[in-house]
Amino acid sequence: MRALVLVITAALAAPRDPFTSQREALADSLGQRGIRDKRVLDAIRSVPRHAFVPQTQHPWAYSDTPLPIGLGQTISQPFVVAVMTELLDVRGHHRVLEIGTGSGYQAAILSGLVKEVFTIELEPELARSGAERLRLLGYSNVIVKQGDGYRGWPEQSPFDRVIVTAAPPEVPQSLIDQLKPGGRLVAPVGRGEQWLQVIDKGHDGKIKRQSVLPVRFVPMRRGKGQ
Ligand code: SAH
């Protein structure tokens, strides 16, 4: 009887869906590929990536590959999401700005790790569907806005962390300005060849840049008249 109670309690504590074991396998494989931060792997284990891609993509939802999400945009490869989240080095009290909401998956991954996620999407259709999806899935500390990420979100700045998930030719100065001293920004940068850049703003305001990894993201586009 006691064993039965324990089994039922465990089942209720860890909600399962048809993809649970695939999601666990994905998190394990990212661990083997070098993702060390347990909180990041736990986030990969808990966020239902299939709910962020069209139904037609469900068979590949837990493959380590980018997938189309409509309007020529993509949800990033899980390994790249994990690397960027690990590099962002977040704390529970952080307020984070994301550029490029897309499906909302990266924002959902961050949601459980920080206090608030502010995320900006240029495409009105994706901003609307992303916000709706995040709301339905209960990621209530993610705030989505339609707009041009080149401007950042001055009304909510400064941010502890900034993550850019579309590639600008150079990191926009506005985003560096909206970073707190001691803050960090992670972004794919470049046209053609792209590198993941980590920018640290020292407490004295000094900027330090590192290029970490070659990546491939959709370009960060300019908003019309924004
Ligand atoms: N983080 C997303 C993937 C992003 S794909 C996810 O987890 O699914 C890149 C997104 O950036 C696309 O949705 C694209 O429309 C958006 N984007 C491109 N240029 C932008 C800009 N200037 N401001 C805000 N979003 C932009």
Side-chain angles (χ1 to χ4, degrees):
M1 182 64 188
R2 181 190 278 175
L4 183 63
V5 170
L6 282 177
V7 169
I8 292 172
T9 313
L12 290 175
R16 294 185 75 83
D17 59 51
F19 296 98
T20 303
S21 55
Q22 289 185 42
R23 197 157 50 242
E24 278 166 8
L26 172 64
D28 291 347
S29 79
L30 296 179
Q32 281 153 19
R33 285 190 66 187
I35 304 299
R36 290 273 158 266
D37 191 333
K38 192 178 164 303
R39 295 169 312 154
V40 174
L41 294 175
D42 284 346
I44 297 277
R45 245 176 226 114
S46 78
V47 177
R49 189 170 186 254
H50 65 277
F52 292 81
V53 300
Q55 189 110 32
T56 52
Q57 302 297 324
H58 276 191
W60 302 280
Y62 297 98
S63 305
D64 191 17
T65 171
L67 293 171
I69 54 169
L71 298 161
Q73 306 304 319
T74 53
I75 181 172
S76 308
Q77 178 188 357
F79 178 69
V80 174
V81 171
V83 167
M84 289 178 81
T85 309
E86 189 168 67
L87 284 170
L88 209 56
D89 192 26
V90 290
R91 302 283 176 273
H93 64 274
H94 281 172
R95 298 169 72 250
V96 179
L97 174 66
E98 180 194 27
I99 307 302
T101 315
S103 68
Y105 179 71
Q106 173 72 71
I109 290 282
L110 286 167
S111 162
L113 304 176
V114 304
K115 181 156 177 261
E116 284 170 309
V117 182
F118 298 87
T119 178
I120 306 177
E121 171 56 52
L122 186 63
E123 284 290 342
E125 177 70 25
L126 289 175
R128 196 197 48 72
S129 58
E132 177 72 355
R133 177 179 299 117
L134 288 159
R135 191 183 64 77
L136 288 173
L137 292 171
Y139 297 103
S140 54
N141 62 344
V142 180
I143 300 121
V144 182
K145 164 173 120 150
Q146 189 278 323
D148 184 356
Y150 280 97
R151 279 192 66 237
W153 199 327
E155 302 80 7
Q156 292 291 352
S157 72
F159 299 97
D160 298 284
R161 300 289 187 261
V162 177
I163 179 169
V164 184
T165 65
E170 279 166 47
V171 175
Q173 186 58 41
S174 56
L175 299 184
I176 299 176
D177 292 344
Q178 290 174 29
L179 200 55
K180 277 188 195 167
R184 172 173 274 198
L185 177 152
V186 177
V189 182
R191 287 273 180 259
E193 191 184 325
Q194 298 170 5
W195 282 80
L196 206 55
Q197 273 198 15
V198 175
I199 296 186
D200 285 305
K201 185 187 265 190
H203 288 284
D204 55 2
K206 275 217 186 97
I207 300 297
K208 203 182 93 198
R209 293 170 193 261
Q210 309 167 60
S211 287
V212 187
L213 188 77
V215 284
R216 202 187 182 93
F217 275 78
V218 296
M220 185 164 161
R221 286 162 295 126
R222 290 267 170 200
K224 294 184 196 80
Q226 295 188 70

